[in-house]
Amino acid sequence: KYSGLPPGPVRCPSKPALEAVLNAEKHDYIFFVAKADFSGYHHFSRTLSEHNRYAAAYRRELNKRRIYQ
């Protein structure tokens, strides 16, 4: 119908994805940043100051590894 768009929905979420959203875990975390050990895990924080400490550690590790934006 419209040039450049597929004929159907671009993406339909799966039933487990919808259930995960509807039954999300309750928590107080509002910030997250990747762990500085590059493990693929994250630090979750309740306060900005806590988040800033984790973010600074991550930036230090990026600089140490010479990974720049």
Side-chain angles (χ1 to χ4, degrees), residues 17-58:
L18 292 172
E19 289 173 349
V21 169
L22 294 173
N23 301 307
E25 177 185 340
K26 303 282 188 248
H27 57 73
D28 296 333
Y29 301 124
I30 58 174
F31 301 101
F32 77 98
V33 65
K35 288 190 173 188
D37 63 4
F38 286 76
S39 62
Y41 291 94
H42 297 81
H43 285 290
F44 294 89
S45 306
R46 291 179 177 88
T47 66
L48 180 59
S49 61
E50 183 181 24
H51 167 75
N52 287 339
R53 284 194 304 274
Y54 290 133
Y58 185 71

